[in-house]
């Protein structure tokens, strides 16, 4: 959601003038953010439309939450609801962070179900909150919002397809939209390859684009080359920031552990993007991709032609910038010996003055480069009331830049005058259609994060290969048919392969008695030991990784690579867990395993198959109003448990009709 300040945002011409203007936590604290789109169903017309009542819905939900809070015991936290970019979107979070306890871990699904049920109870009878990544008919020439608005009035984006009213009315969002366009010098331009079916037009020249509209200066861009043949053309921030996702944030014990966890999860980002793929349909067409990531990256790409390398640099453009401000991570930042300089192998421009200033104040080179790299971006929204601020008491200036650098992970320093510590936000996953799935992936990631720190696991591969993996992850059916670069030997000690737990820094006592198991997931870990053989630091990096399938990455390859699920299970062996609790955890891990082997398909594959097998589908890549309506009805029925999907969910899945969740009231 970013920084929502109440004030007067500056237009880009004004904002650009101001472009240059150790705490610890022993307890693991973490949380999730789930985004919903509110869909309004017209059963007579068989049309599923996006409900633009976000302001009204949130006002009602927040009143309900306040009323529940007033009657709650102190040990119960009521979930919170927040605005998002799209006026049809809601974001929900738990009322307070989860801890490292096993009961908290197992409360995630129930908490998610409670949030969905609470929202659903207070919507109109024909409205449903769906955890659905991308709305298949966003931007079609027919009615796709309730109420209808005309895109000719898109004064912020100048979009050919999306009306102004689709954007959250808070000043931040239309200002972001307009300033990206103004700074870039054109509209954003996103082109997704069309999925070529038997009767798809070839070449595909989209007949739904209003090629000859002449309202805004940018209107001719589509016919002048911005819209590519055989592609689905998208031209506004709303196509990307109108997507829904699942994000997780973990508070670390200290800055060193946060940097280790950040680095450890960087290579995992593309893997879980592919495994959670859920967005194969865009602007009324099937695309030949399964994920949202490049759409969002393109939707906020404010780089000028000089920064993109299209034109020679000018005085006002200080950097050639390889990526959008929404993209994969550019730098590993841990100071541990495992982070070899060769892994940061891409061009990473940074502000040299900020870098030197940070170094002069004791910040090490890696972290100084990370921060100064963030500051190659200009702030997109500046509120006139906050231009002059005391930076010793407020981090708003930093957050203004930080919150508009959207990467697969976000490294989050503690706010001033707060008990909040160092945090890492994991951001690559697509939201899943059911709370069982969302909980499963949340549980998997938190357990994997503990395994990384507990066992000193080494997942490093060159950043350039992580970037390649991000591209591969978005390909159609990547989880089943794709290959990804991954490290072959993830252990940092010789004993690791035979006994992962013994490499945790807290292994069995010397008398040989069994190691005492932890009652909850730890948050503080000893520093990793140095290399047993310094020769490992001279091994060619190219020999450390290879291409693996999703099944191999998750379940292991040969005798040397154990697979991520085995590492998670080895970590579970270090915890004191009741048998009933372990059964539930294993249900989550089994979903991840079955998705990785292809025995259960991803949401993207299920959606694509539904569309292509629909009786109204004409084998022409078009997602009609009727198909879209039936698709979203089916997704709601799957979530509620009244429609079985044995190729997508375990046969013992319990839907929302039977389990509406709980927060312990």
């Amino acid at each position: 959601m970013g920084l929502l300040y109440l004030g007067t945002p500056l237009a880009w011409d004004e904002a650009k003038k101001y472009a240059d203007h150790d705490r610890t936590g022993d307890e693991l604290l973490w949380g999730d953010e789930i985004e919903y789109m509110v869909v309004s169903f017209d059963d007579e017309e068989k049309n599923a439309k996006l409900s633009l009542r976000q302001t009204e819905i949130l006002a009602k939900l927040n009143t309900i939450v306040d009323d529940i809070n007033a009657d709650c015991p102190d040990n119960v936290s009521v979930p919170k609801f927040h605005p998002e970019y799209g006026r049809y979107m809601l974001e929900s979070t738990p009322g307070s962070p989860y801890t490292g306890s096993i009961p908290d871990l197992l409360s995630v699904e129930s908490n998610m179900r409670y949030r969905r049920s609470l929202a659903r109870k207070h919507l109109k009878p024909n409205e449903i909150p769906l955890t659905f990544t991308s709305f298949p008919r966003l931007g079609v020439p027919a009615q796709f919002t309730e109420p209808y608005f005309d895109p000719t009035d898109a004064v912020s984006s100048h979009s050919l397809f999306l009306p102004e009213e689709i954007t959250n009315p808070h000043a931040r969002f239309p200002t972001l939209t307009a300033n990206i366009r103004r700074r870039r010098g054109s509209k954003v331009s996103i082109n997704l390859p069309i999925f070529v079916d038997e009767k798809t037009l070839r070449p595909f020249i989209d007949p739904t684009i209003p090629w000859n509209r002449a309202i805004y200066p940018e209107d001719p861009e589509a016919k002048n080359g911005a819209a590519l043949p055989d592609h689905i053309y998208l031209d506004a921030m709303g196509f990307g920031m109108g997507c829904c996702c699942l994000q997780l944030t973990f508070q670390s014990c200290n800055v060193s552990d946060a940097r280790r966890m950040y680095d450890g999860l960087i290579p995992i980002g593309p893997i879980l993007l592919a495994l959670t793929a859920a967005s194969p349909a865009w602007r009324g067409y099937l695309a030949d991709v399964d994920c949202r990531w490049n759409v969002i990256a393109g939707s906020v790409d404010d780089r000028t032609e000089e920064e993109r390398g299209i034109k020679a640099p000018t005085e006002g453009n200080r950097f050639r910038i390889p990526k959008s401000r929404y993209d994969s991570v550019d730098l590993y930042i841990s100071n541990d010996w495992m982070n070899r300089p060769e892994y940061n192998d891409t061009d990473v421009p940074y502000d040299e003055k900020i870098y030197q200033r940070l170094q002069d104040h004791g910040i090490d080179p890696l972290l100084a480069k990370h921060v100064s790299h963030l500051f190659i971006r200009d702030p997109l929204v500046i509120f006139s009331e906050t231009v002059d601020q005391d930076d010793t008491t407020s981090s708003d200036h930093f957050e203004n830049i930080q919150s508009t650098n959207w990467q697969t992970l976000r490294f989050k320093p503690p706010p001033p005058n707060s008990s909040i510590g160092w945090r890492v936000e994991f951001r690559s996953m697509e939201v899943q259609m059911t709370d069982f799935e969302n909980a499963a992936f949340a549980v998997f990631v938190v357990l994997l994060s503990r395994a990384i720190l507990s066992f000193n696991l080494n997942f490093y591969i060159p950043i350039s290969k992580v970037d390649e993996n991000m591209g591969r992850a978005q390909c159609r059916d990547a989880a089943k048919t794709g290959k990804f670069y991954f490290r072959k030997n993830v252990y940092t000690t010789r004993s690791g392969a035979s006994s992962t737990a013994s490499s945790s820094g807290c292994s069995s006592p010397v008398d040989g008695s069994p190691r005492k198991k932890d009652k909850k997931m730890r948050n503080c870990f000893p520093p990793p030991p140095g290399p047993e053989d310094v020769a490992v630091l001279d091994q060619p990096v190219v020999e450390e990784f290879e291409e693996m399938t999703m099944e191999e990455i998750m379940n292991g390859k040969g005798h040397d690579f154990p697979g991520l699920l085995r590492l998670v299970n080895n970590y579970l062996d270090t915890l004191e867990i009741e048998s009933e609790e372990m059964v539930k955890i294993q249900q989550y891990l089994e979903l991840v395993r079955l998705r990785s082997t292809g025995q259960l398909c991803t949401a993207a594959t299920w959606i694509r198959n539904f569309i292509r097998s629909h009786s109204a589908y004409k084998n022409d890549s078009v997602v009609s109003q009727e198909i879209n309506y039936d698709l979203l009805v089916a997704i709601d029925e799957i979530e509620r448990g009244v429609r079985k999907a044995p190729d997508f969910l375990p046969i013992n899945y319990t839907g929302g009709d039977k389990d509406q969740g709980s927060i312990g009231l």
Side-chain angles (χ1 to χ4, degrees):
M1 179 178 63
L3 182 66
L4 293 187
Y5 185 85
L6 294 178
T8 309
L10 301 178
W12 174 244
D13 289 344
E14 290 296 312
K16 65 183 181 182
K17 301 175 186 177
Y18 301 102
D20 291 321
H21 190 88
D22 197 29
R23 199 171 293 153
T24 63
D26 293 343
E27 179 83 25
L28 170 61
L29 299 175
W30 67 284
D32 68 80
E33 299 173 33
I34 286 189
E35 293 167 350
Y36 313 81
M37 53 181 65
V38 179
V39 178
S40 173
F41 288 86
D42 184 337
D43 297 333
E44 288 188 8
E45 296 293 328
K46 296 201 76 173
N47 194 6
K49 298 167 286 187
L50 295 167
S51 172
L52 303 185
R53 297 197 310 114
Q54 181 195 76
T55 303
E56 178 184 344
I57 292 168
L58 281 175
K60 186 172 185 179
L61 281 175
N62 288 332
T63 299
I64 298 297
V65 166
D66 289 343
D67 290 344
I68 298 173
N69 261 322
D71 297 327
C72 263
D74 292 339
N75 64 334
V76 174
S77 295
V78 184
K80 297 179 174 66
F81 292 88
H82 315 274
E84 256 298 341
Y85 179 91
R87 202 177 293 197
Y88 53 88
M89 299 171 69
L90 305 174
E91 179 186 277
S92 77
T93 58
S96 60
Y98 307 118
T99 69
S101 74
I102 301 305
D104 267 17
L105 184 71
L106 295 179
S107 73
V108 173
E109 181 182 354
S110 190
N111 193 291
M112 291 177 174
R113 287 178 181 263
Y114 179 87
R115 287 178 250 164
R116 186 193 298 265
S117 299
L118 186 64
R120 185 168 190 145
K121 288 176 184 175
H122 298 287
L123 297 176
K124 291 181 177 180
N126 68 325
E127 292 178 335
I128 297 175
L130 296 179
T131 45
F132 195 63
T133 300
S134 66
F135 190 74
R137 285 177 59 80
L138 180 68
V140 298
Q143 182 177 0
F144 60 90
T145 63
E146 181 58 48
Y148 170 81
F149 290 100
D150 193 327
T152 58
D153 192 33
V155 294
S156 298
S157 68
H158 296 182
S159 174
L160 296 171
F161 314 108
L162 301 184
E164 182 73 12
E165 290 80 4
I166 208 161
T167 305
N168 183 319
H170 185 285
R172 169 184 163 92
F173 296 107
T175 304
L176 260 177
T177 304
N179 281 353
I180 285 171
R181 174 177 51 77
R182 291 166 180 152
R183 189 186 187 284
R184 178 183 171 91
S186 67
K187 288 191 299 183
V188 298
S189 178
I190 306 146
N191 285 275
L192 299 177
I194 190 79
F195 172 76
V196 178
D197 214 333
E198 295 174 18
K199 298 181 181 179
T200 305
L201 295 173
R202 300 305 306 274
F204 175 75
I205 306 297
D206 188 353
T208 69
I209 295 176
W211 298 99
N212 296 316
R213 195 181 81 171
I215 299 174
Y216 300 108
E218 300 90 348
D219 281 354
E221 290 176 4
K223 64 182 178 183
N224 289 342
L228 301 178
D230 294 325
H231 286 73
I232 306 164
Y233 172 60
L234 313 173
D235 69 344
M237 184 176 176
F239 284 108
M241 286 304 192
C243 292
C244 297
C245 65
L246 166 66
Q247 297 173 352
L248 306 172
T249 300
F250 307 94
Q251 180 169 285
S252 294
C253 179
N254 51 51
V255 63
S256 296
D257 279 3
R259 293 168 75 170
R260 286 173 60 200
M261 179 165 57
Y262 179 87
D263 281 12
L265 290 174
I266 287 173
I268 305 302
I271 306 307
L272 289 187
L273 175 61
L275 207 55
T276 59
S279 44
W282 301 85
R283 207 167 55 71
Y285 296 106
L286 274 175
D288 205 29
V289 297
D290 276 359
C291 299
R292 79 198 188 285
W293 193 266
N294 281 352
V295 175
I296 313 184
S299 76
V300 294
D301 190 358
D302 69 325
R303 294 174 300 162
T304 64
E305 289 184 319
E306 292 82 2
E307 289 168 338
R308 283 177 275 151
I310 297 173
K311 290 184 177 179
T314 60
E315 184 177 345
N317 292 271
R318 300 178 295 162
F319 305 102
R320 162 78 170 86
I321 304 178
K323 295 180 182 178
S324 167
R325 62 198 302 150
Y326 195 119
D327 218 311
S328 52
V329 169
D330 288 318
L331 278 171
Y332 294 113
I333 61 174
S334 174
N335 268 333
D336 291 338
W337 63 269
M338 289 179 280
N339 183 14
R340 297 171 60 180
E342 297 95 316
Y343 299 138
N344 284 325
D345 67 334
T346 59
D347 176 31
V348 180
Y350 60 95
D351 188 303
E352 294 183 2
K353 291 182 179 179
I354 292 176
Y355 177 81
Q356 190 58 53
R357 181 181 178 186
L358 290 166
Q359 287 230 272
D360 291 345
H361 286 79
I363 305 299
D364 63 84
L366 276 175
L367 195 54
K369 191 171 184 180
H370 167 78
V371 174
S372 56
H373 173 58
L374 298 179
F375 276 80
I376 66 171
R377 313 285 183 177
D378 287 331
L380 288 172
V381 179
I382 297 177
F383 292 92
S384 57
E385 294 85 350
T386 66
V387 169
D388 297 310
Q389 238 180 21
D390 183 357
D391 290 330
T392 64
T393 60
S394 171
S395 60
D396 280 1
H397 284 159
F398 172 75
E399 288 298 334
N400 199 3
I401 294 292
Q402 165 95 329
S403 68
T404 54
N405 273 270
W406 300 277
Q407 297 181 331
T408 42
L409 283 98
R410 183 175 280 155
F411 183 73
K412 306 175 78 167
N417 305 312
S418 167
S419 61
I420 297 173
W422 296 90
R423 293 148 295 147
V424 173
E425 185 178 25
F426 188 76
R427 302 172 43 82
S428 68
M429 292 187 290
E430 310 227 304
V431 74
Q432 303 296 283
M433 297 192 294
T434 71
D435 296 313
F436 170 72
E437 298 166 87
N438 288 314
F441 282 106
V443 166
F444 172 75
V445 175
V446 70
L447 290 173
L448 183 61
S449 76
R450 299 306 93 189
I452 290 170
L453 295 171
S454 182
F455 300 151
N456 299 313
L457 297 175
N458 181 351
F459 290 161
Y460 284 106
I461 61 172
I463 284 286
S464 62
K465 296 304 178 186
V466 178
D467 288 348
E468 283 193 53
N469 282 348
M470 283 297 294
R472 295 181 179 194
Q474 298 171 71
C475 293
R476 175 165 49 90
D477 211 15
K480 187 174 182 180
T481 64
K483 286 194 172 184
F484 305 89
Y485 294 106
F486 211 81
R487 190 177 182 90
K488 294 185 287 187
N489 181 10
V490 299
Y491 301 109
T492 54
T493 65
R494 294 189 183 95
S495 59
S498 58
S499 178
T500 310
S502 69
S503 68
S504 66
C506 48
S507 52
S508 303
V510 292
D511 62 5
S513 61
R515 171 189 166 188
K516 184 178 180 181
K517 294 191 174 186
D518 294 328
K519 293 186 177 181
K520 59 168 58 177
M521 294 182 287
R522 295 187 181 197
N523 200 41
C524 294
F525 302 88
E532 293 179 344
D533 183 357
V534 294
V536 72
L537 300 177
D538 297 322
Q539 178 183 359
V541 167
V542 70
E543 296 178 5
E544 296 178 341
F545 60 88
E546 65 181 4
E547 290 180 300
M548 298 186 195
T549 65
M550 182 67 74
E551 182 173 5
E552 290 169 337
I553 291 170
M554 285 293 169
N555 301 290
K557 183 178 182 181
H559 296 293
D560 296 328
F561 180 70
L564 301 183
L565 283 167
R566 181 179 167 190
L567 293 170
V568 165
N569 276 305
N570 286 342
Y571 174 70
L572 288 171
D573 287 342
T574 71
L575 301 176
E576 188 177 297
I577 302 175
E578 298 295 330
S579 57
E580 297 85 356
E581 296 171 330
M582 184 62 82
V583 167
K584 186 63 176 176
I585 293 173
Q586 290 301 327
Q587 288 176 356
Y588 295 138
L589 299 183
E590 180 68 357
L591 174 75
V592 176
R593 186 188 71 81
L594 291 173
R595 289 274 170 89
S596 72
T597 63
Q599 292 168 270
L600 292 179
C601 65
T602 63
T605 296
W606 188 91
I607 293 165
R608 188 184 301 276
N609 290 344
F610 181 96
I611 292 170
R612 296 188 70 205
S613 62
H614 194 281
S615 60
Y617 181 64
K618 298 178 181 178
N619 300 313
D620 57 358
S621 310
V622 174
V623 183
S624 68
Q625 176 177 306
E626 178 185 354
I627 294 172
N628 185 61
Y629 171 87
D630 288 342
L631 170 67
L632 297 183
V633 167
I635 288 170
D636 176 53
E637 290 174 345
I638 288 173
E639 189 283 319
R640 292 190 291 115
V642 300
R643 179 187 180 118
K644 297 297 182 184
D647 57 338
F648 176 62
L649 288 172
I651 57 174
N652 60 350
Y653 167 72
T654 301
D657 278 2
K658 291 185 178 180
D659 182 358
Q660 297 185 7
S662 171
I663 55 172
L665 287 174

